[in-house]
Amino acid sequence: QFALLGCVLGLGYLSKSIMLPVSVFFLTAVFLAAAIQPEQPRVNDGGPKTEDGGPLFRPPSSVLGPSYRVNWQQAVIGTAVSLVCFLLVAGPFVAVMSVANGRFTYGDAGKFTYVRHVNHVVYPHWQGEPPGDGVPLHPSRQIFDDPPIYEFGSPIGGTYPISFDQSYWYAGVEVRFDLANQLRQLLASALFYADLFIFQQAAVLLGLALLCGLRRRGRFSMMGSLRGWLLSGVGLLALLLYAPILVAGRYVGAFVLLFWSDLLAQVRVPDTAVVQRVTHSVSLLMILFLFVNIALFNLQGFADLSGGSEPPAPTETAGPPDWPGAVAAELWQLGIEPGDEVAVIGYAFDSYWARLARVQIVAETLGWQADALWLGDSVFQQEVLGVFASTGARAIVAEYVPAYADVSDWHQVGNSNFYIYLLDQEY
């Protein structure tokens, strides 16, 4: 079990770098769990005896409560086994990354998330602004001023190189502590958790409170309570670890489950018919409430999808394609093949069509900076298109093109506001 735990924690780290510090929480918990071992209740046998020689009065175990002994040797050996297995799985990846970066690192995802969301460093094309956040060592290359065009075809590969290896493009960035920004982020995290635990999961909170009100009374044991709350403690620490940086449902979902399930597992109620009926009712309430929440969430998603499938009326502004695959199919239809290089006018971080089309984005103008192109005359537009062509891109995919733009030479993707311009036909 110790070995399996270490391997699972190692695989968890390979999927997400924050699991390395969280693994420290788990290993600490398993150390304490292995050290604090419950024993059978001991009863004073010096009193009156029954006919069979047993004590005349034996307090019920619910009153006496279990006693505990500490076994440090087992805890040290078991945790060492877990740690060794964790290092065998995670160590090679840490070593390769550290050698590649010339310094020890287990991943810079937390660092980049912090500088983006707390220090507000520009993303995706940091050129050194705002001052005080460091000097970029090798940022994306700005090859045109207005609209700003950024080229990043080398040396990093991938569908969108900027997000494939942020440690390269943001090398030189410095993490700085800003009290005001940090307090704002902590407040945002606190509001997220309040909405999650008090509103979205109110039934679980209420159900746990009711069950704790019915709990079986007995002798309180500090060691027993510590041992019983270890997993919920790990979940809580993981939730707090995200709070200063960024909290999102997909980040914390597993730890929310760990937190609630362990707290519910520690509830001990009397074994009576009334309590059983109450327990079943409370459990049904929690399940029903969560099921309704999940159902409403998915119904809203289906409604959004079905609403976007209808083409806009002639008087309405066109919207995005029904799904990213429509853009990929249009690229293939126009002769763009897997492996070709393309440019984007929009926000390439969300350009899922590029992955589906198996193309590589090598240049980008952010959509909110593209007005100079759409409002410029034909001579200026040809100049901008020539700059895009110089990057080696065979086509430009423009996303969310405004209605006032002149797209007479562009290929529209269905009835959407996505357009494709073939560069290799002219340049």
Side-chain angles (χ1 to χ4, degrees):
Q1 289 178 343
F2 284 110
L4 288 175
L5 174 65
C7 292
V8 169
L9 292 176
L11 293 174
Y13 160 70
L14 294 182
S15 68
K16 203 165 184 65
S17 59
I18 197 173
M19 282 302 297
L20 192 142
V22 172
S23 294
V24 176
F25 300 156
F26 273 106
L27 292 175
T28 303
V30 79
F31 175 81
L32 294 174
I36 304 173
Q37 294 295 322
E39 290 184 325
Q40 292 295 326
R42 292 177 294 178
V43 179
N44 183 9
D45 292 333
K49 306 293 185 180
T50 60
E51 292 182 358
D52 60 1
L56 183 63
F57 173 74
R58 183 187 298 273
S61 60
S62 60
V63 174
L64 189 62
S67 57
Y68 292 86
R69 60 183 175 86
V70 177
N71 188 339
W72 297 114
Q73 181 179 3
Q74 175 179 318
V76 170
I77 295 175
T79 307
V81 170
S82 295
L83 179 60
V84 169
C85 292
F86 172 80
L87 293 176
L88 288 175
V89 176
F93 190 63
V94 174
V96 168
M97 283 198 303
S98 299
V99 171
N101 286 274
R103 58 183 173 83
F104 173 78
T105 177
Y106 65 88
D108 290 324
K111 171 184 176 180
F112 296 130
T113 304
Y114 188 91
V115 297
R116 283 180 59 190
H117 294 276
V118 181
N119 294 157
H120 303 299
V121 170
V122 173
Y123 183 86
H125 300 292
W126 178 54
Q127 306 294 305
E129 70 281 13
D133 290 313
V135 178
L137 301 182
H138 23 69
S140 55
R141 296 165 286 276
Q142 185 171 349
I143 57 177
F144 201 77
D145 291 331
D146 191 18
I149 300 177
Y150 302 95
E151 184 272 327
F152 40 86
S154 62
I156 306 299
T159 303
Y160 183 50
I162 296 296
S163 64
F164 185 79
D165 187 1
Q166 296 183 66
S167 63
Y168 176 83
W169 305 106
Y170 279 75
V173 70
E174 297 177 359
V175 178
R176 57 181 173 82
F177 179 76
D178 185 300
L179 180 60
N181 287 343
Q182 186 64 84
L183 290 177
R184 276 192 289 267
Q185 187 60 45
L186 289 172
L187 177 60
S189 300
L191 293 174
F192 180 95
Y193 284 138
D195 175 72
L196 177 65
F197 286 101
I198 298 176
F199 177 70
Q200 298 184 39
Q201 299 179 357
V204 181
L205 181 62
L206 177 61
L208 179 63
L210 291 174
L211 292 176
C212 287
L214 297 173
R215 71 183 184 277
R216 187 174 59 195
R217 308 299 175 183
R219 187 184 68 180
F220 175 78
S221 170
M222 180 64 73
M223 295 181 68
S225 298
L226 174 62
R227 193 177 193 275
W229 295 336
L230 286 174
L231 288 181
S232 55
V234 170
L236 180 61
L237 288 173
L239 296 176
L240 294 176
L241 193 61
Y242 276 105
I245 307 173
L246 179 66
V247 179
R250 63 191 178 93
Y251 296 163
V252 302
F255 303 114
V256 172
L257 175 63
L258 183 65
F259 177 76
W260 282 129
S261 59
D262 189 48
L263 288 181
L264 289 167
Q266 300 309 314
V267 175
R268 297 292 182 268
V269 296
D271 188 12
T272 65
V274 174
V275 172
Q276 286 183 7
R277 286 195 295 270
V278 173
T279 303
H280 292 161
S281 299
V282 170
S283 302
L284 182 61
L285 173 67
M286 290 188 288
I287 293 172
L288 181 62
F289 186 87
L290 293 177
F291 177 79
V292 169
N293 267 353
I294 295 171
L296 291 176
F297 176 81
N298 285 281
L299 286 174
Q300 181 62 46
F302 286 126
D304 293 341
L305 288 175
S306 61
S309 61
E310 300 178 1
T315 57
E316 295 179 354
T317 303
D322 298 342
W323 70 297
V327 184
E330 187 70 22
L331 284 169
W332 290 341
Q333 186 73 22
L334 294 173
I336 303 302
E337 299 177 352
D340 285 347
E341 297 177 343
V342 300
V344 171
I345 299 175
Y347 184 45
F349 183 83
D350 290 338
S351 298
Y352 306 115
W353 51 262
R355 176 64 178 169
L356 297 175
R358 298 294 190 268
V359 296
Q360 180 179 355
I361 299 171
V362 297
E364 175 182 29
T365 287
L366 299 173
W368 54 89
Q369 297 177 332
D371 272 352
L373 169 64
W374 302 128
L375 297 175
D377 58 27
S378 60
V379 175
F380 177 76
Q381 290 184 0
Q382 288 301 312
E383 180 184 2
V384 173
L385 295 175
V387 173
F388 274 117
S390 69
T391 66
R394 290 193 58 201
I396 305 172
V397 178
E399 306 173 338
Y400 305 100
V401 176
Y404 53 79
D406 180 10
V407 289
S408 55
D409 295 328
W410 296 65
H411 300 269
Q412 186 177 12
V413 179
N415 295 314
S416 72
N417 55 6
F418 278 46
Y419 290 82
I420 299 173
Y421 189 91
L422 294 180
L423 291 168
D424 54 357
Q425 293 182 358
E426 294 188 35
Y427 298 95

